[in-house]
Amino acid sequence: MANDKKNTKDKKPKFSPYWIYGIIIALFVGFHLFNNNTYQEGNKTTPSDFFKFLEAGDVEKVDIVKNTRVARVYLTKEAQEKEVHKNSKPTAFLTSTKLPNYKFEFGDLQNFENQLNEINKDLNTKPIISFDTETNDWGNLLMGILPFILLIGVWIFIMRRMSGGAGGGAGGQIFNIGKSKAKLFDQNTDVKISFKDVAGLEGAKEEVQEIVDFLKFPEKYTTLGGKIPKGALLVGPPGTGKTLLAKAVAGEAKVPFFSLSGSDFVEMFVGVGASRVRDLFKQAKEKSPSIIFIDEIDAIGRARGKNAMSGSNDERENTLNQLLTEMDGFGTNTNVIVIAATNRADILDKALMRAGRFDRQIFVDLPNLTERKAIFEVHLRPLKKAKGLDIDFLSKQTPGFSGADIANLCNEAALIAARTNKKAVEKQDFLDAVDRIVGGLEKRSNLFSVEEKKTIAYHEAGHAVVSWFLEHADPLVKVTIVPRGRSLGAAWYLPQEAYITRTNKFLDEICVTMGGRAAEQIIFNEISTGALGDLESVTKKAKAMVMIYGLNDKVGNITYYDPAGENGFVKPYSEKTAEIIDNEIKNIIETQFQRALELLTTKKDLLDKLANRLIEREVIFKDDLEELLGISPFKKSSTIVLEEE
Ligand code: ATP
């Protein structure tokens, strides 16, 4: 993995765009200083005052700038010493040129000239009068074009950002915008991942093994008249190892591997996506046999023709059309195989999935117990484990964890062990890491009042007691009133691994979740806001029962499941059905709440015992639960797992 990181590092542009900005700003500031001082035009005065100065013989020179109707007045040395001109001395900076003492607007030139000549003829020492003195034209010109220079700078900057990191070694040029952004892993940047780094996923590995074979020995298949598949679609929840599997295929087949994400095609300019697709396939064909891996293909592969209102959709559709064309276009003998990954195969365009494009769909599901064990073995390899660490136990404690979760868990456990200066990572570190990952960070510093602590303890004890006595509820592992993440306390269960869920299980789970609020009702005769998470969860479950799985008699065997959002804002049922749905959801939750109330009323002594123990110890485990509540009538499987505690 470290190798990957090294390979994928973007090359830094040689010339940072910030330099352009620096230079422009320096020019601007420098010019301003220069301009202000060299061409300082003196203090403002009026024509009548000027004529007074002239009559007094104070003026040495007058510059008349016709186009701006401004005259600049230079005083004689002696005049500058006079009291009246005290404040007119210019401050020279960065220049040796003589600067004017005054400036004024003369209005009509002819009039001004006449008046000037009139006074001039009576003077003994006549001032020098120069017409059309050069204005600061260069300065004006520069000031005029500066905004454009700035705009161009900004534009270059944006273009560089957008095309930065483009493939083909030409990153950072404006014209690379239509080039594919795929990262290339080839013999120079060896893909070191092989099938042995991918734990579990036996079925998926078998399927992709065939792709490796196609790439390595194409003749084996083509001589018999078979065609090499063009693409495989890896479908599964996040973190289950789809990217890893695709990399392993490239590593095993030892062919170049172009990796990019669906969103890399999408840009704000029309036509860029399609052009990137073309470029990607062109590059891949040049390096054939090769693999193109498109992660998160749903970013471009969503079914076409929806949300016709939005313009960005058109661009996505163009990109998808181009992808379809390219997959059709390259002949079977080009040996380019496209592997794509998605979490949402249900929303993909049908045209993508037809045979001849992604002919193979490979499901990469969450790992089961044995697969989790294998994944643990891979990720425990680099860790210093305590002697006798039981991997079976760890795999049993982590149902529902994906490969990425397990990788994260191992790392988290190592960090926890390091924090306490341990020499090796122990079982308890892993259990703490599970708590940390599932529940969030422990917040021991949260201060509760005695009353609040009591409420939380009864709430959690309510969940625990109800689950202890319901057949289909998940087995309880521990109960705590130490706040973690968003929750103030928690009852931890060990979910059973099952592929189907029956109505009874749904109902028991809802009843357990309502157990917290029911306990509060029984003990305090009032309910609190502490059940928000519970209410969210039961509403979601009841809604799923009624609207998705057809588990409700009144609504019947019907589903309103709409994963692709095809219905938009339109409800696919009538107002009458909507009313039935609302009532049934409410009914399910209410019935289970009453059931929890009844059960807890009969077991109130146990509820008290458990809540008091919780207040005393804050965390209680299965052993304490058995001591207080007796052996659970139904929790056989939990006993097997937790005996190792
Ligand atoms: P997403 O759909 O979010 O892109 P993904 O399915 O592509 O996720 P990966 O990126 O392949 O998941 O997996 C993330 C990490 O999880 C891997 O780098 C690896 O460390 C670990 N992992 C996942 N599955 C496995 C596995 N079967 N064996 C070993 N490690 C795994």
Side-chain angles (χ1 to χ4, degrees):
M1 297 312 284
N3 187 46
D4 286 358
K5 272 199 188 134
K6 195 175 69 200
N7 294 338
T8 55
K9 243 192 239 166
D10 283 343
K11 278 180 194 155
K12 285 235 166 76
K14 282 179 201 115
F15 186 73
S16 156
Y18 292 112
W19 278 104
I20 301 177
Y21 280 114
I23 291 168
I24 291 173
I25 290 169
L27 266 177
F28 185 78
V29 171
F31 171 74
H32 219 71
L33 277 176
F34 179 72
N35 185 43
N36 267 352
N37 290 289
T38 314
Y39 295 94
Q40 196 191 49
E41 294 185 318
N43 296 327
K44 261 197 169 171
T45 185
T46 59
S48 56
D49 279 349
F50 162 72
F51 289 125
K52 274 186 211 154
F53 302 155
L54 192 64
E55 278 168 346
D58 291 351
V59 179
E60 185 184 281
K61 187 182 157 202
V62 185
D63 285 343
I64 295 172
V65 191
K66 277 190 209 162
N67 59 351
T68 58
R69 292 172 188 267
V70 166
R72 297 189 202 119
V73 183
Y74 299 80
L75 298 179
T76 60
K77 234 183 189 167
E78 303 76 52
Q80 287 191 29
E81 303 305 323
K82 286 186 185 173
E83 185 63 21
V84 4
H85 302 303
K86 201 173 65 198
N87 297 327
S88 71
K89 260 195 181 167
T91 37
F93 178 65
L94 284 178
T95 177
S96 56
T97 336
K98 193 172 179 197
L99 302 175
N101 298 75
Y102 293 108
K103 70 167 179 185
F104 63 92
E105 284 184 26
F106 51 75
D108 182 59
L109 183 64
Q110 194 56 56
N111 273 347
F112 178 64
E113 263 191 86
N114 292 343
Q115 267 181 294
L116 198 61
N117 290 335
E118 189 68 22
I119 298 172
N120 224 0
K121 74 176 186 257
D122 298 334
L123 291 176
N124 296 334
T125 30
K126 298 187 174 25
I128 309 160
I129 298 174
S130 70
F131 284 93
D132 259 353
T133 316
E134 194 189 325
T135 51
N136 183 12
D137 283 344
W138 279 109
N140 288 342
L141 187 69
L142 193 56
M143 288 301 275
I145 59 170
L146 207 68
F148 293 102
I149 297 178
L150 272 174
L151 267 179
I152 293 170
V154 170
W155 183 71
I156 291 176
F157 177 69
I158 293 174
M159 289 310 227
R160 288 177 67 97
R161 292 302 303 258
M162 284 192 316
S163 57
Q173 286 174 20
I174 298 172
F175 301 107
N176 266 347
I177 187 135
K179 290 264 163 36
S180 133
K181 286 174 133 192
K183 282 171 204 133
L184 172 63
F185 300 85
D186 55 12
Q187 62 277 17
N188 305 321
T189 56
D190 257 346
V191 183
K192 293 262 166 61
I193 294 171
S194 66
F195 281 146
K196 79 172 186 340
D197 298 303
V198 186
L201 307 181
E202 292 310 326
K205 269 200 264 185
E206 219 166 84
E207 293 228 29
V208 290
Q209 175 65 48
E210 221 174 58
I211 295 180
V212 175
D213 249 24
F214 283 137
L215 289 166
K216 271 186 162 168
F217 318 105
E219 319 78 43
K220 185 171 138 189
Y221 297 88
T222 47
T223 46
L224 294 176
K227 282 187 194 146
I228 290 174
K230 287 180 186 168
L233 185 64
L234 302 173
V235 184
T240 41
K242 299 182 288 297
T243 313
L244 195 68
L245 198 60
K247 279 189 185 158
V249 171
E252 292 279 338
K254 299 201 171 22
V255 297
F257 178 74
F258 292 85
S259 165
L260 80 171
S261 157
S263 56
D264 287 343
F265 290 111
V266 188
E267 203 67 73
M268 65 179 180
F269 298 114
V270 175
V272 170
S275 146
R276 284 185 181 166
V277 173
R278 271 195 299 277
D279 187 60
L280 172 66
F281 277 84
K282 190 169 146 260
Q283 287 183 35
K285 274 183 242 174
E286 277 163 12
K287 297 229 174 213
S288 116
S290 60
I291 292 176
I292 294 175
F293 176 63
I294 308 175
D295 205 358
E296 321 289 353
I297 196 174
D298 36 301
I300 49 165
R302 268 163 202 266
R304 289 164 293 178
K306 283 175 196 139
N307 305 329
M309 302 286 282
S310 97
S312 63
N313 241 30
D314 285 348
E315 172 55 6
R316 193 174 53 70
E317 286 187 10
N318 286 344
T319 312
L320 175 59
N321 285 335
Q322 188 62 42
L323 181 67
L324 298 178
T325 318
E326 288 290 342
M327 289 191 77
D328 267 347
F330 63 91
T332 39
N333 55 355
T334 52
N335 289 358
V336 177
I337 290 189
V338 185
I339 301 181
T342 179
N343 308 327
R344 303 286 314 269
D346 48 346
I347 58 166
L348 290 186
D349 199 283
K350 296 284 168 291
L352 256 184
M353 322 270 269
R354 78 145 164 80
R357 287 191 183 121
F358 289 110
D359 345 51
R360 263 143 226 257
Q361 273 195 41
I362 302 169
F363 286 93
V364 183
D365 218 342
L366 284 175
N368 60 24
L369 187 70
T370 34
E371 286 171 329
R372 283 202 300 277
K373 193 175 163 198
I375 299 176
F376 263 113
E377 267 155 13
V378 169
H379 291 286
L380 285 175
R381 247 183 252 153
L383 296 195
K384 257 200 177 155
K385 306 172 278 286
K387 264 200 190 122
L389 181 75
D390 188 348
I391 300 180
D392 275 323
F393 173 73
L394 294 180
S395 345
K396 280 175 189 163
Q397 287 295 314
T398 46
F401 273 47
S402 66
D405 290 333
I406 294 176
N408 183 24
L409 171 69
C410 293
N411 189 46
E412 195 69 42
L415 296 183
I416 291 174
R419 219 171 287 150
T420 43
N421 299 321
K422 286 187 187 163
K423 293 270 175 298
V425 193
E426 293 165 6
K427 180 172 140 187
Q428 191 54 45
D429 302 319
F430 285 94
L431 291 177
D432 289 347
V434 173
D435 288 1
R436 164 88 177 77
I437 289 169
V438 178
L441 199 61
E442 197 171 280
K443 292 190 211 153
R444 286 229 175 237
S445 57
N446 266 25
L447 291 178
F448 297 120
S449 65
V450 177
E451 192 58 27
E452 275 174 332
K453 200 169 176 183
K454 194 173 165 197
T455 312
I456 299 166
Y458 270 101
H459 184 103
E460 298 310 331
H463 289 308
V465 173
V466 175
S467 83
W468 203 252
F469 293 101
L470 290 188
E471 182 175 358
H472 305 287
D474 288 329
L476 199 60
V477 179
K478 69 174 184 184
V479 191
T480 148
I481 55 166
V482 176
R484 262 183 194 282
R486 273 179 63 210
S487 66
L488 302 174
W492 298 71
Y493 310 96
L494 194 68
Q496 300 299 287
E497 299 190 32
Y499 293 97
I500 53 170
T501 307
R502 293 188 199 280
T503 315
N504 281 340
K505 175 140 176 78
F506 264 121
L507 296 178
D508 279 5
E509 278 178 3
I510 295 175
C511 184
V512 169
T513 315
M514 293 309 288
R517 178 162 269 209
E520 285 183 52
Q521 171 76 48
I522 292 169
I523 304 297
F524 307 101
N525 202 21
E526 57 184 355
I527 47 180
S528 73
T529 55
L532 174 64
D534 296 344
L535 296 183
E536 264 176 16
S537 149
V538 293
T539 312
K540 212 166 134 196
K541 279 196 182 115
K543 202 168 156 191
M545 283 178 75
V546 178
M547 295 181 67
I548 297 178
Y549 299 116
L551 294 177
N552 180 270
D553 292 344
K554 295 250 170 59
V555 176
N557 297 324
I558 199 162
T559 182
Y560 300 108
Y561 185 51
D562 176 28
E566 286 177 359
N567 299 327
F569 295 111
V570 187
K571 283 189 199 136
Y573 39 79
S574 66
E575 284 304 315
K576 200 171 149 218
T577 313
E579 211 180 313
I580 300 176
I581 290 176
D582 283 345
N583 285 338
E584 284 309 294
I585 293 176
K586 218 187 278 174
N587 196 10
I588 291 175
I589 298 173
E590 244 4 83
T591 315
Q592 293 313 314
F593 181 55
Q594 291 307 326
R595 195 172 156 218
L597 277 175
E598 279 163 28
L599 198 146
L600 288 178
T601 315
T602 57
K603 310 272 180 204
K604 186 160 172 296
D605 51 330
L606 295 181
L607 184 66
D608 286 331
K609 268 200 220 165
L610 194 55
N612 288 331
R613 179 73 65 94
L614 265 175
I615 293 170
E616 188 189 317
R617 296 207 193 151
E618 295 199 335
V619 185
I620 50 180
F621 293 93
K622 197 207 106 229
D623 291 345
D624 308 280
L625 290 167
E626 275 182 356
E627 181 203 321
L628 295 172
L629 306 177
I631 299 285
S632 161
F634 309 109
K635 303 296 169 301
K636 295 186 198 86
S637 54
S638 106
T639 322
I640 295 168
V641 173
L642 291 167
E643 264 165 5
E644 302 184 35
E645 277 264 299

